[in-house]
Amino acid sequence: KQWYQRRVVITAGGFNFKSASQIFFSDGNLDPWSAGGVQQVDGEVCGYDCPKFLIKDGAHHLDLRGSNENDPSSVIEARYTEIEAISRWISPLARQRKVDF
């Protein structure tokens, strides 16, 4: 796991997203490459409003797929958290343009 994380840092340029904002980091604990993901989000990693969600009993992109009756509750919670974050990000723009979503 540590070897893979070091490899990601070297090949992908690390985890320096200080000039970025509004990124939702989600990983699943069943994801074989979650060790290469962002483990903790703070001001050292991301510039502004970058939530992190670890999906218990989830794997790669399970939160981004369509709903399924067999989805674990952690995936459902992740989806709601993503919706809240994205709504927070686009609400000011929608108000400026007077758009309902």
Side-chain angles (χ1 to χ4, degrees):
K1 198 169 183 177
Q2 287 179 342
W3 171 86
Y4 185 75
Q5 191 171 29
R6 283 192 305 268
R7 181 172 179 218
V8 169
V9 170
I10 291 167
T11 59
F15 298 118
N16 183 355
F17 301 104
K18 289 181 188 177
S19 63
S21 64
Q22 301 170 326
I23 301 171
F24 195 98
F25 294 98
S26 63
D27 283 308
N29 69 336
L30 301 179
D31 204 341
W33 45 83
S34 64
V38 173
Q39 302 299 313
Q40 181 178 346
V41 179
D42 56 26
E44 293 296 313
V45 174
C46 180
Y48 171 74
D49 199 4
C50 298
K52 162 77 175 150
F53 197 95
L54 179 62
I55 303 169
K56 183 181 177 211
D57 302 323
H60 191 61
H61 291 263
L62 184 57
D63 54 323
L64 302 177
R65 295 178 188 217
S67 298
N68 183 297
E69 64 186 33
N70 298 316
D71 284 339
S73 61
S74 58
V75 173
I76 297 167
E77 184 181 354
R79 288 183 184 131
Y80 281 114
T81 305
E82 291 164 353
I83 289 168
E84 288 173 357
I86 294 167
S87 295
R88 182 173 65 246
W89 299 336
I90 65 173
S91 288
L93 296 172
R95 281 193 296 274
Q96 286 176 354
R97 297 183 178 157
K98 297 179 180 154
V99 174
D100 289 325
F101 62 92

